[in-house]
Amino acid sequence: MTLPNWRQILIGVLHRNRKQPYSRYFQLATVRTDGYPANRTVVFRGFLNNTNQLKIIVDSRSEKINQIQHQPFAEACWYFTETREQFRLAGKLTLVGADCDDAELEKARVSTWQELSDNARIQFAWAHPGEKRANPEAFAPSQPDAVTPLANFCLLLLDPVKVDHLELRGEPQNRYLYTRDEQENWTCIEINP
Ligand SMILES: Cc1cc2nc3c(=O)[nH]c(=O)nc-3n(C[C@H](O)[C@H](O)[C@H](O)COP(=O)(O)O)c2cc1C
């Protein structure tokens, strides 16, 4: 499969912004069940194998899960401070939880868990996110197994269908719009910033 340009460009941008660890954080917007927007910061965990799908890790107990199950459309917004450019990636989310019956996706879920730091893994053993603050003991669990994910550990995949890339550098600025058609072919047009 040939990579759409946006993915190659994004990989290059991540490399050029690698000195700032926060370059791997982006904002992920979803829609609440009442229609209001919901937005939060997440960590980019790489692409799923050779696909264009962005990997994110989430807790199955968190509120965003209801929203995603209600309707899976989402948009990521990602700004790179070193090179001064923004990517907005709109598409559909796929949740890969402990009950996933797709062997490939389950494998990806397990390997993502295994690649995490102990510090990232233990957070999945903390008290229920979003509930009334629990006692300190609820935040001092024993270290979870490093091989087998906890049941509430989920992989979340964002499969973009539209990517809007804005470069602030340059006079005037540059903006490119990538769209994916029904046959999954990508086209890119240059648009006004
Ligand atoms: C720098 C940073 C990175 C974060 N990374 C993640 C992440 O990768 N996955 C995640 O679920 N939450 C992450 N969070 C927490 C979310 O922003 C959010 O507070 C939490 O997921 C609850 O969101 P929800 O109530 O919409 O489910 C991160 C927060 C910050 C500030």
Side-chain angles (χ1 to χ4, degrees):
M1 188 186 80
T2 53
L3 294 182
N5 280 334
W6 66 262
R7 184 182 148 163
Q8 283 166 316
I9 290 166
L10 180 55
I11 288 170
V13 170
L14 272 160
H15 184 71
R16 285 193 289 286
N17 288 271
R18 67 190 178 284
K19 275 202 215 110
Q20 284 90 18
Y22 52 76
S23 296
R24 299 188 77 79
Y25 305 155
F26 60 79
Q27 277 65 52
L28 178 70
T30 52
V31 184
R32 295 182 199 277
T33 53
D34 62 5
Y36 275 78
N39 205 352
R40 79 285 291 157
T41 307
V42 293
V43 180
F44 173 60
R45 300 280 173 185
F47 286 96
L48 175 74
N49 307 322
N50 283 328
T51 74
N52 299 325
Q53 301 192 53
L54 284 73
K55 291 195 291 178
I56 305 151
I57 60 167
V58 296
D59 191 316
S60 67
R61 302 169 298 172
S62 64
E63 205 193 315
K64 64 180 84 55
I65 304 297
N66 282 336
Q67 299 159 12
I68 296 163
Q69 285 170 341
H70 188 246
Q71 75 82 17
F73 301 109
E75 185 167 273
C77 189
W78 207 345
Y79 181 60
F80 294 92
T81 55
E82 179 75 25
T83 54
R84 300 176 53 231
E85 55 203 303
Q86 170 184 268
F87 287 81
R88 288 190 292 172
L89 306 109
K92 242 174 160 176
L93 293 169
T94 303
L95 193 63
V96 184
D99 57 354
C100 175
D101 48 20
D102 180 313
E104 276 300 301
L105 293 182
E106 175 55 11
K107 205 166 133 195
R109 173 177 170 267
V110 171
S111 61
T112 305
W113 172 262
Q114 293 171 349
E115 285 158 18
L116 295 181
S117 63
D118 280 346
N119 193 37
R121 277 193 288 257
I122 204 166
Q123 295 182 28
F124 288 85
W126 284 357
H128 196 297
E131 288 193 347
K132 191 166 171 281
R133 183 80 188 190
N135 295 328
E137 306 86 72
F139 297 93
S142 52
Q143 186 64 45
D145 190 279
V147 178
T148 309
L150 289 176
N152 55 312
F153 174 76
C154 298
L155 185 61
L156 186 61
L157 302 170
L158 175 63
D159 191 13
V161 293
K162 188 169 105 180
V163 177
D164 180 337
H165 177 203
L166 172 67
E167 292 177 330
L168 295 183
R169 256 179 337 187
E171 207 46 67
Q173 304 162 357
N174 297 306
R175 188 171 169 200
Y176 307 92
L177 187 64
Y178 298 83
T179 43
R180 196 177 85 178
D181 66 20
E182 301 282 297
Q183 285 74 42
E184 309 216 345
N185 295 315
W186 286 89
T187 48
C188 175
I189 55 165
E190 198 167 353
I191 58 175
N192 295 327

